[in-house]
Amino acid sequence: MIRYRITNKDDIEDITVKEFDYDDNVPGFFSINIKDKSYGYYHDKELKPGEYGFAIVNYWIFSLLETVHSFKNNSSIAISDIESMDNWVQLTSHQESVTLNIVKHDKSGLPHLFKGSLPHEQDSSLLGVVDWNQFKEDIMMVTQQYIDDILNINPRLAESNSIKKLSHLLSLI
């Protein structure tokens, strides 16, 4: 369901914990895929010179993990697509499933992770409906894989605040 690719491995390999804590944006490719639909962009081809991807991988992984955690108290959560002007991924939890919609909505004054349905949704398209347990397992697996990938590139980053925060949040689910 989730595909990502870290594209700046050389930079991560040399970064200090302090530098990573200051700027933990990990560029790459990221997509959410449900059956024949996808949102985002991913490829596993050889990178062209200067190609880094336009997604902030850690933002998406943290936001999805935070969504799974927040579903305990909220049935609907919208994640701002920070790479677009007005796109959100609206996730709505039902007892046995999660509905994902791509919503166009003004971001002014709203947090990046909006807990609740977006007020006055302007335009929405269904990305898909997935099994709740499968969704949760996929997000947990992808989060652990991301942590492992970062630590394989630079083991010192186990001491970084962002990796500790992801690990802690993962332990709460």
Side-chain angles (χ1 to χ4, degrees):
M1 184 171 111
I2 305 294
R3 296 177 72 183
Y4 74 90
R5 179 179 179 187
I6 298 169
T7 56
N8 68 333
K9 292 178 183 177
D10 292 341
D11 295 338
I12 293 171
E13 189 174 62
D14 298 329
I15 200 168
T16 67
V17 171
K18 185 177 180 179
E19 291 168 330
F20 194 69
D21 281 343
Y22 177 73
D23 182 9
D24 65 351
N25 290 340
V26 176
F29 303 109
F30 184 89
S31 68
I32 301 170
N33 309 287
I34 301 174
K35 296 183 182 169
D36 62 340
K37 293 185 178 182
S38 67
Y39 183 76
Y41 178 72
Y42 173 89
H43 79 77
D44 56 5
K45 301 173 193 155
E46 185 175 333
L47 295 174
K48 297 175 183 168
E51 182 180 22
Y52 279 100
F54 55 87
I56 305 298
V57 174
N58 54 309
Y59 168 81
W60 282 105
I61 290 173
F62 179 80
S63 296
L64 287 167
L65 188 63
E66 177 68 23
T67 297
V68 169
H69 182 260
S70 295
F71 274 155
K72 294 175 184 177
N73 300 316
N74 302 280
S75 64
S76 190
I77 297 172
I79 301 171
S80 171
D81 179 347
I82 60 173
E83 290 96 25
S84 78
M85 290 291 293
D86 58 0
N87 282 355
W88 297 77
V89 178
Q90 178 84 48
L91 300 101
T92 305
S93 174
H94 311 283
Q95 287 185 341
E96 309 253 336
S97 63
V98 177
T99 301
L100 290 87
N101 286 294
I102 306 307
V103 177
K104 290 201 177 296
H105 191 283
D106 181 34
K107 296 180 181 183
S108 300
L110 296 175
H112 292 294
L113 195 70
F114 184 82
K115 295 177 181 175
S117 292
L118 288 169
H120 313 292
E121 294 177 11
Q122 296 170 353
D123 184 19
S124 176
S125 63
L126 178 67
L127 182 58
V129 179
V130 295
D131 177 78
W132 161 244
N133 288 322
Q134 187 64 50
F135 175 76
K136 181 174 128 179
E137 288 173 23
D138 283 354
I139 301 305
M140 292 173 67
M141 182 190 69
V142 164
T143 301
Q144 187 59 58
Q145 184 61 53
Y146 171 79
I147 292 169
D148 293 346
D149 287 349
I150 292 294
L151 297 182
N152 283 334
I153 297 167
N154 185 338
R156 296 181 311 263
L157 297 181
E159 296 304 314
S160 71
N161 290 330
S162 64
I163 295 299
K164 286 180 180 179
K165 190 174 180 180
L166 275 173
S167 296
H168 176 70
L169 189 55
L170 190 57
S171 73
L172 296 177
I173 297 175

